[in-house]
Amino acid sequence: MARDILSPNQVDMESPGRRDYWVALGHTSVWGSHLIPLTVIVGPQAKAGEGLVAFGANHGNEYEGPVAIKNLLREIRTEDVLGRIVLVPVLNVSAFRVGTRESTVDDGYNLNRVWVDGAGTTPALAGITHRIVEFVRTVIWPHVHISIDLHSGGEVARFPHWAVYMAHDNAEKNERRQQMARWFGCSVIMGSSSPGPSGINGALFQDADNLGKDAIATELGHGSSTDVRGVRYARQGVLAAAIHNEQLRGSIEPIDHHADGTQCLVGNSASVTAPYPGHYEPLFDCGAVVSKGTTVGLLHDFYRMDEDPYECVAGVDGIVISQAWGARVDQGQTILMVAEKVE
Ligand SMILES: [Zn+2]
């Protein structure tokens, strides 16, 4: 099956039926384009401005999302789509092509930090990464009300599997979002308030939330691998959100931690920043229950061989939700996060 290659303004998000595209964004160096895969399936009950979009590879070295969405391209049948489903297995094609977090061989930006005013529309912000932002804002956002952004830890951090939603003051909205996150089946569910999960600004997740969409993000593995459960959770979360929001016909059963009631909802978190570059030694696995004051990991300085390592201490009673993945860490890197259990 050959995909149509076309420019963003030729993408048809409204006509009934299925379309598989390569959306071409001009290359700043070679004579050609970056091609972003986008599939849109529009059913008979699609409403203007409503639909679900799932993104993989916002970061180019995180693979559970891309694999799960690629599988869904074959699994979701057009006749079962009621509303609008948009599948983008690889969003940052520049980064994915070379297997890096950022658009390393092009403008060097991290796509999940550049959802800023003027991205892709002002001359100073016209590299491929900012133009991917503009593409999503102009082509996709007007047609969806649910955004699922499937991340993993890449080479930065390790996590228990988690799904995070943007907390909302409106109880009904908040509950709907929390349920959407729970349906992934992960062990940890997090309600986040802006700015992002770890003080991050300029994230896709936030841009979706700013526009009033139900925004879900995940961490489904780490180490630039393809995690068995991570792929399973990604598939489950996208299908459940599509079915429960009347975009897809069908029924679905809860899985794993969602099914057996072992999901943990977490709230406020405390993080530890590396005060100097060094080597991180975890003393607990991610997902461990720890008390405030517990030393969860040690930061070693091999140039001060005979000094005690720096103790990375839990700032709250809770669950270890993130630690450095690689042993070598930079000064200023977030190397530990512990979050309080809400229930
Ligand atoms: Zn990521």
Side-chain angles (χ1 to χ4, degrees):
M1 179 185 66
R3 287 181 166 245
D4 291 332
I5 300 175
L6 40 63
S7 61
N9 61 14
Q10 294 175 298
V11 173
D12 176 2
M13 299 285 276
E14 293 178 272
S15 303
R18 170 169 176 155
R19 290 164 295 282
D20 297 280
Y21 298 121
W22 290 114
V23 183
L25 302 185
H27 207 290
T28 49
S29 173
V30 300
W31 185 17
S33 302
H34 297 274
L35 300 182
I36 300 176
L38 182 151
T39 291
V40 54
I41 312 173
V42 181
Q45 296 167 26
K47 296 185 183 134
E50 292 193 10
L52 175 150
V53 62
F55 297 106
N58 178 332
H59 291 132
N61 60 352
E62 303 173 7
Y63 299 103
E64 288 79 2
V67 169
I69 296 174
K70 181 172 181 287
N71 291 338
L72 287 174
L73 293 179
R74 289 162 172 269
E75 183 177 347
I76 295 177
R77 301 186 312 168
T78 300
E79 56 266 37
D80 291 333
V81 176
L82 300 171
R84 182 180 291 102
I85 296 179
V86 183
L87 299 171
V88 182
V90 178
L91 182 59
N92 191 345
V93 289
S94 164
F96 189 82
R97 184 159 49 86
V98 290
T100 54
R101 180 174 173 83
E102 298 86 7
S103 312
T104 315
V105 295
D106 290 292
D107 54 30
Y109 283 105
N110 173 346
L111 175 58
N112 215 32
R113 301 290 183 277
V114 296
W115 297 73
V116 296
D117 288 345
T121 59
T122 58
L125 303 175
I128 182 60
T129 317
H130 289 102
R131 283 185 289 123
I132 291 171
V133 171
E134 191 210 1
F135 153 68
V136 173
R137 284 175 169 170
T138 56
V139 174
I140 298 177
W141 281 164
H143 303 285
V144 299
H145 67 302
I146 299 165
S147 166
I148 298 176
D149 187 19
L150 298 167
H151 287 258
S152 310
E155 298 297 328
V156 179
R158 67 183 92 189
F159 303 95
H161 299 96
W162 92 33
V164 55
Y165 63 96
M166 275 291 187
H168 200 285
D169 294 339
N170 177 300
E172 189 188 329
K173 274 190 185 173
N174 195 65
E175 176 64 17
R176 186 177 70 228
R177 292 173 177 193
Q178 187 188 117
Q179 287 302 325
M180 219 182 283
R182 285 188 181 278
W183 271 88
F184 280 77
C186 304
S187 57
V188 173
I189 304 301
M190 190 186 312
S192 172
S193 48
S194 226
S198 50
I200 289 164
N201 282 307
L204 181 155
F205 179 68
Q206 284 175 291
D207 203 58
D209 181 67
N210 291 343
L211 295 166
K213 304 182 191 309
D214 289 334
I216 304 287
T218 62
E219 297 292 355
L220 296 177
H222 58 264
S224 299
S225 66
T226 311
D227 182 89
V228 177
R229 282 177 298 161
V231 174
R232 173 175 155 83
Y233 294 155
R235 171 187 178 274
Q236 170 81 2
V238 172
L239 288 177
I243 290 168
H244 294 148
N245 290 279
E246 282 117 36
Q247 304 300 310
L248 183 67
R249 185 182 288 116
S251 61
I252 193 163
E253 295 297 318
I255 60 169
D256 290 29
H257 297 278
H258 185 211
D260 67 15
T262 54
Q263 251 171 5
C264 179
L265 179 66
V266 300
N268 294 334
S269 61
S271 49
V272 173
T273 301
Y276 50 77
H279 292 74
Y280 182 73
E281 176 196 2
L283 301 178
F284 290 86
D285 285 323
C286 287
V289 178
V290 295
S291 304
K292 184 176 179 176
T294 302
T295 300
V296 180
L298 300 170
L299 181 62
H300 293 279
D301 183 344
F302 280 81
Y303 297 99
R304 292 173 175 79
M305 192 63 79
D306 302 303
E307 290 186 12
D308 289 339
Y310 179 81
E311 295 192 17
C312 302
V313 170
V316 293
D317 290 330
I319 307 279
V320 178
I321 59 162
S322 174
Q323 296 187 87
W325 158 237
R328 293 180 66 210
V329 301
D330 287 332
Q331 184 184 40
Q333 184 177 334
T334 301
I335 51 177
L336 169 66
M337 283 176 75
V338 177
E340 285 175 328
K341 274 190 184 185
V342 173
E343 57 186 29

